[in-house]
Amino acid sequence: MTSSDAGASALDPEGRTEGRGSRPPAPGRDGGAPGSPRREVAPGIVQHDVEAINARERRALYVGRKKIHPKRARGTFRTLKWIIMAVTLGIYYALPWLRWDRGPHLPDQAFLIDFANQRLLIFGIEIWAQEFYFVTGILLLAALGLFLVTSIAGRVWCGYTCPQTVWTDLMIAVERFWQGDRNARLRLDKKPWGFEKIWKKGATHLTWLAIAVATGGAFVFYFRDAPILMGEFLDGTAPTIAWVFLGVFSFTTYMLGGIAREQVCIYMCPWPRIQGAMLDRDSLLITYREWRGEPRGPHKKGETWEGRGDCIDCKQCVVVCPMGIDIRDGPQLECIQCALCIDACNEIMERVGRPRGLIAYDTYHNVDAGEDVSQRRVRLIRPRTLLYAGAMALVAVLMLIGLAARTTLEVNVLRDRNPLFVRLSDGGIRNGYTVKILNKRHDTRSFRLSITGLDGARLAALGYEGQAEPRIPVVTDDLRAVRVFVSLPADRVRALGRDVVPLRFVVTDLVDGTRAMRETTFRMPKR
Amino acid sequence: MADKPEIDEVTGIETTGHEWDGIKELNKPLPRWWVWTLYATIIWSIGYWIVYPAWPLATDYTKGLLGYSQRQAVADSLRQARAAQAKFVKAIAETDIAAIRSKPELLRFAVAGGRAAFGDNCAPCHGSGAQGAKGYPNLNDDEWLWGGTIEQIYETIRVGIRADHDDTRSNDMPKFGVDELLTPEQISDVAEYVLSLSGKAADAAAAKRGKAIFAEQCTACHGEDGKGNQELGAPNLTDAIWLYGGDKASIVESIRTGRGGVMPSWEKRLSPVVMKQLAVYVHALGGGK
């Protein structure tokens, strides 16, 4: 990780550079000021006057932010990223509006985090608060999936699907729409404030704000019926908390996606620091094939390619980079591996008539192997990937088992602890319990409560006097707590001769005979 | 500040001009975003001073535009809670105490309220689980000195036992030993008989002697069969429950000193609704008749 020695190079008085990609220091130079001399590095290709934001000679403990003006890239990966952006944003904005019929008693929103009723509704799946371990399982799967993908192909998450990347990409596209591509934006930034600059910048920020509000709005819709809440937003009757979260998420979208951008990835996000542990020599990373590219330099038409590298130092890979870095400096913390430099470089390679893939997904191993083709290999199946995949499979199987075993009727028993037992006047012993019956069906049911496993015991439920096996109605999607007393006559207590015996509560659905059971104990004095 | 800032030769960074023993301090200002955040929070705090209570004055304080007060917020919450309860409180006040039990909603409200009131008022003697202690009756069981119907429980709560209430419940067991009404040997004999009443092991000869004394001294209150009398607050001596202990030494002590616990009258301290809730709660502990 080259940035780890940032501090060291900051104190390096000579501004020395070393290792691959060394260039003479160029302090204070930035992005192709119009009019500055431009160098043609190959027929029809001019070098961009740009430095990586994290270039060695620029590093310091305290650095100001260098504004990045990413150029538009074209190619396979850019197309792929547009598609992924369309799909992920489409899901995000549209999902709350999707309907899913669950019958008359439940909301018909396909994906609803129903805080008021403490449950999570995802299409046909319904997760109650006490079943939150399903969510834990989903998060586990997501984390392990992230590990797996990272060990195979690096920061795919960062480069393609992370919301920060997707929204930043969208915001940059908006910026480009109003202000033009890199060079036009550079010119605009250099200009003094005037009508053109104000309206172009203003339009950009207004569009960003509109996207931000739509994003914050969509987030709130996940927590309340979307059409109802939309109506409430429009006529101003939405609950305060909805407005607050709309505001918070609009603000963060605008700030993080529009303003902060790469700063989030470099300084705020822990993932770049964690991912180092998931990579190994066989992970496919976006790599500058140094063995092919160096020594770099301008190439004139008709010149031989013998004895020199394929890199013509046009810096296309730097200008398209949304992080503002130079991939030729090697793997680095700042690289989100979005693959735009691959597109940029491939386009140039085609134009100068060299093979594509000077920058490509490749492994540390292959970089070390260099030109020695016999040493090249791509191993997707390795102990590390097998371990992550196995862990994912295990979690998935456990969750499926849990989901398959999920019941619509549950009984929980809380035995009284104070007092543990009560001695009755006839010498018998009575224990108290709170029995909670959970009816997860979507209609009201009556349940018969009974006990097994303790001969001679009598059951009485508060409010159901005179019923040896009380019939307890529980309305739909609800929990009913019943105070229950179990008493055992004196002769049975003496006959048992123990201070604790097992006892089982059985709840039977009177309609379809579904049963749920719960083991507990019956306690008596120590003799 | 006419001079241009001095530039440190080694690092190329300007200095603050401060010098200690030949060492000069480099000017390394705080990150700008940090400084602006600090300014923003200061400006934000001014808003707080205006809308929220902030500055102490000589006898008062600035109230703020919103007029927010935590004390008021608590009072409001309490008022809201009381308003939400009003329907049930009214219903309990109007409903006959025995009828509360047949109305599930009222029963739940009464038990919940009774549990809270019990914790505040009754738990110090009867225990938080109403399990009692020596001399303090266990309210979970089915043995009652003054009766276990819901009305009788309510009455006991209302008037107390040996309390400062005109109708207070009171029983008067003589101090047979202290006042020398019986000799220690006679007390021992009666205790043996009482042990035999509840089926415990007892000296048959002594119990026989005790039976005669019991018939003479004790049956007026405890009854000829020893089953007690709830009208008089006389405990049943034939069952398994003993307020002061069921071993011989404890029984001898009970006969010698007469015992006699106390309970306050709650009529002047609690409203009828709360006393009703308490009675319902105690009755619902499992031993109610």
Side-chain angles (χ1 to χ4, degrees), chain A residues 297-313:
Chain A
H299 179 261
K300 288 197 174 62
K301 195 164 189 171
E303 247 178 26
T304 176
W305 290 92
E306 287 299 319
R308 56 152 294 151
D310 283 348
C311 177
I312 56 168
D313 204 15

Side-chain angles (χ1 to χ4, degrees), chain A residues 155-156 158-160 165 265 322-323 325 333-338:
Chain A
R155 289 166 66 180
V156 171
C158 297
Y160 298 90
T165 299
C265 308
M323 306 298 292
I325 60 168
L333 173 92
E334 291 87 347
C335 177
I336 58 168
Q337 308 207 347
C338 62

Side-chain angles (χ1 to χ4, degrees), chain A residues 6 13-14 45 49 80 114 120 124 127 136 140 153 188 215 306 344 348 382 387 454 512:
Chain A
E14 316 283 322
I45 302 169
D49 189 10
L80 181 64
D114 190 353
L120 181 60
I127 295 174
T136 310
L140 258 177
L188 188 67
T215 305
E306 287 299 319
I348 296 296
R382 323 190 285 275
L387 184 74
L454 190 58
D512 60 12

Side-chain angles (χ1 to χ4, degrees), chain A residues 34-101:
Chain A
S36 64
R38 289 172 148 220
R39 199 153 62 120
E40 192 169 67
V41 288
I45 302 169
V46 284
Q47 183 187 45
H48 279 270
D49 189 10
V50 64
E51 286 295 326
I53 55 149
N54 62 348
R56 276 170 188 277
E57 55 273 16
R58 216 180 238 178
R59 288 187 192 151
L61 279 174
Y62 302 94
V63 284
R65 181 179 180 189
K66 282 283 170 198
K67 190 167 180 192
I68 300 167
H69 300 81
K71 187 173 180 288
R72 177 171 186 163
R74 284 185 172 78
T76 322
F77 290 104
R78 180 64 266 184
T79 310
L80 181 64
K81 273 171 70 76
W82 288 132
I83 294 169
I84 291 174
M85 184 201 281
V87 170
T88 49
L89 289 182
I91 291 174
Y92 176 75
Y93 290 116
L95 189 56
W97 296 91
L98 222 61
R99 302 290 104 184
W100 187 269
D101 185 30

